[in-house]
């Protein structure tokens, strides 16, 4: 059997086998054939033992790195599969349902949501659940690129195209070929760059700065913003035609304050993840801290919750995160109010209970889309009691009468 045939037989039996081909001097052609057929390296005779040892070392290093890469990929898979996006609230279930439909398509998706609601996490999950998952996922923060460099960043530049272009380089579209390009904060893109982006989305080809040659690109575009793009259009800050191009399918990520039932779940998930990331032993959250986390309205959404928990994990003296490990703004008005020496204990407790009740009712109402029947059910009280509390806390019109 020839060397090449032996190599093929070995690789058929085990595709992971690593071969170093040794060929006679002058038969360079068969060495090239060997690497094409999957040999890791080749040596030509005569060779000395050191050369062989270096080649074997290199092969072993390569195998170790490939193994690490596979592990890393598997880790990313779990991190960015839908499994990693926590949520059981009706609004998040709707998001998951839409994602499952959207992910396998080639469609452009516009992801909308306040800061910290998980836009990038969702974009990565869409990529991982698409046919492009083996291709690259590239995130570009449009607000972080100086307007003079946007074009070079997106479309690439030939050497000398502008003062600092010392080397020719591909743009993000070329780099994302075969994969997904995530245009984060797309609402901050300068108008001029918007026009060029529109052209690429229509024609699916880019031209590097300083070049006359257009290059075909196969890229799926996902975009995100926390801005209202329609308002930006009316103010002349965003091109209407680009909005229509991007707004083929829209995913609206709800703010955390409207996802009351997700908070406890997110707390558990994030504490678990953050303890592992910080390399500390697992911690739990005390009922008091849980209550404070539940009643705060999270203007910075999940990012704020994550940062709060990271800080609390570091501050907690033992394995339980307590109320005093949370920042003052979350511990709530009760602890920030100046102490009233005239108040009785019962009055103070009544005030705290009222604040917690009001917060929970508001959050649950929002989550249930305003349905009082479902809100009462979720809170475990009857409708009459809920109505009384709504009036007490000024959440129902003062002249409103309960109807059956
Ligand atoms: N549903 C979720 N389940 C678990 N973790 C989440 C969820 N949503 C967001 N996170 C986490 O919260 C953090 C913020 O999410 P992400 O960066 O995706 O938000 P964003 O909307 O892009 O925020 P920004 O507008 O600030 O860029 C990340 O660490 C992310 O892993
Ligand atoms: Mg983001």
């Amino acid at each position: 059997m020839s060397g090449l045939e032996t190599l093929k037989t070995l690789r058929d039996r085990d595709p992971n086998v690593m071969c170093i081909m040794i060929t006679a001097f002058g038969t360079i052609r068969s060495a090239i054939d060997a690497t094409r057929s999957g040999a890791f390296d080749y040596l030509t005779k005569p060779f000395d033992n050191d050369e062989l040892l270096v080649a074997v070392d290199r092969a072993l290093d390569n195998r170790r790195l490939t193994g690490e890469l596979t592990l890393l990929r598997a880790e990313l898979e779990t991190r960015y599969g839908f499994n990693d996006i926590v949520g059981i609230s009706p609004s998040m279930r709707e998001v998951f349902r839409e994602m499952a439909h959207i992910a396998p398509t080639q469609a452009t998706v516009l992801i909308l949501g306040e800061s910290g609601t998980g836009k990038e996490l969702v974009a990565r999950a869409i990529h991982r659940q698409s046919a492009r998952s083996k291709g690259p996922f590239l995130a570009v923060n449009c607000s972080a690129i100086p307007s003079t460099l946007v074009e070079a960043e997106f479309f690439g530049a030939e050497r000398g195209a502008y003062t600092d272009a010392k080397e020719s380089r591909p743009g993000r579209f070329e780099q994302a070929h075969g994969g997904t390009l995530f245009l984060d904060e797309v609402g901050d893109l300068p108008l001029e760059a918007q026009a060029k982006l529109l052209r690429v989305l229509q024609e699916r080809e880019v031209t590097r700065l300083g070049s006359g040659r257009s290059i075909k690109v196969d890229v799926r575009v996902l975009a995100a913003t926390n801005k209202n793009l329609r308002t930006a259009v009316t103010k002349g800050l965003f091109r209407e035609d680009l909005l229509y191009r991007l707004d083929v399918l829209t995913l609206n990520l709800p703010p955390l304050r409207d996802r009351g039932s997700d908070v406890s779940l997110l707390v558990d998930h994030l504490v678990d993840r953050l303890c592992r990331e910080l390399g500390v032993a697992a911690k739990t959250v005390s009922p008091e801290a849980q209550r404070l986390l539940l009643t705060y309205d999270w203007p910075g959404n999940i990012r704020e919750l994550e940062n709060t928990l990271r800080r609390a994990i570091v501050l907690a003296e033992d394995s339980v995160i307590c109320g005093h490990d949370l920042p003052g703004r979350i511990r709530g008005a009760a602890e920030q109010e100046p102490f009233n020496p005239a108040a009785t204990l019962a009055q103070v407790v009544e005030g705290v209970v009222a604040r917690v009740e009001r917060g929970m009712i508001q959050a649950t109402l929002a989550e249930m889309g305003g349905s009082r029947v479902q809100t009462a059910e979720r809170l475990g009280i009857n409708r009459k009691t809920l109505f009384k509390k709504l009036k007490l806390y000024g959440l129902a019109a003062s002249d409103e009468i309960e109807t059956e």
Side-chain angles (χ1 to χ4, degrees), residues 186-260:
V186 74
D188 292 335
L189 212 54
L191 272 170
E192 207 179 312
Q194 289 176 24
K196 301 217 160 98
L197 174 63
L198 179 70
R199 231 186 19 248
V200 177
L201 292 179
Q202 280 163 345
E203 289 159 20
R204 301 280 161 183
E205 50 185 39
V206 292
T207 309
R208 290 188 187 179
L209 277 183
S211 155
R213 194 169 59 92
S214 55
I215 304 166
K216 283 248 168 265
V217 283
D218 167 28
V219 172
R220 180 184 194 182
V221 172
L222 306 178
T225 179
N226 54 16
K227 295 222 162 92
N228 183 330
L229 291 185
R230 288 187 201 285
T231 311
V233 167
T234 56
K235 288 186 181 158
L237 298 173
F238 203 81
R239 290 183 68 111
E240 192 171 20
D241 43 11
L242 179 60
L243 174 61
Y244 290 136
R245 264 283 147 182
L246 295 175
D247 196 7
V248 181
L249 291 167
T250 309
L251 271 176
N252 273 297
L253 299 189
L256 189 52
R257 63 182 165 281
D258 293 347
R259 295 159 54 181

Side-chain angles (χ1 to χ4, degrees), residues 372-399:
R372 291 181 183 180
V373 176
Q374 287 176 30
T375 300
E377 221 168 79
R378 169 65 57 89
L379 292 173
I381 53 179
N382 66 37
R383 246 186 50 200
K384 269 206 162 72
T385 312
L386 174 66
F387 184 70
K388 260 196 254 161
K389 288 186 190 294
L390 289 173
K391 289 205 91 166
L392 178 69
Y393 298 134
L395 299 173
S398 55
D399 55 354

Side-chain angles (χ1 to χ4, degrees), residues 84-86 115-121 266 273 302-303 306:
D84 197 51
I85 309 180
V86 171
S115 181
T117 44
K119 297 184 292 294
E120 181 158 355
L121 191 69
L266 275 164
R273 198 188 93 200
I302 301 158
R303 189 180 296 291
E306 187 179 348

Side-chain angles (χ1 to χ4, degrees), residues 68-89:
E68 280 171 15
L69 201 66
T70 315
L71 278 179
L72 210 65
R73 288 225 172 94
E75 193 187 314
L76 285 173
E77 189 88 50
T78 22
R79 180 132 196 232
Y80 295 120
F82 289 2
N83 285 348
D84 197 51
I85 309 180
V86 171
I88 48 155
S89 58

Side-chain angles (χ1 to χ4, degrees), residues 1 42 57 82 89 91 100-101 131 173 176 182 205 214 218 227 263 266 295 312 318 329 372 376:
M1 207 188 281
Y42 65 87
D57 252 344
F82 289 2
S89 58
S91 46
H101 284 290
F173 271 93
F182 175 50
E205 50 185 39
S214 55
D218 167 28
K227 295 222 162 92
V263 175
L266 275 164
T295 41
D318 55 22
R329 68 178 191 287
R372 291 181 183 180

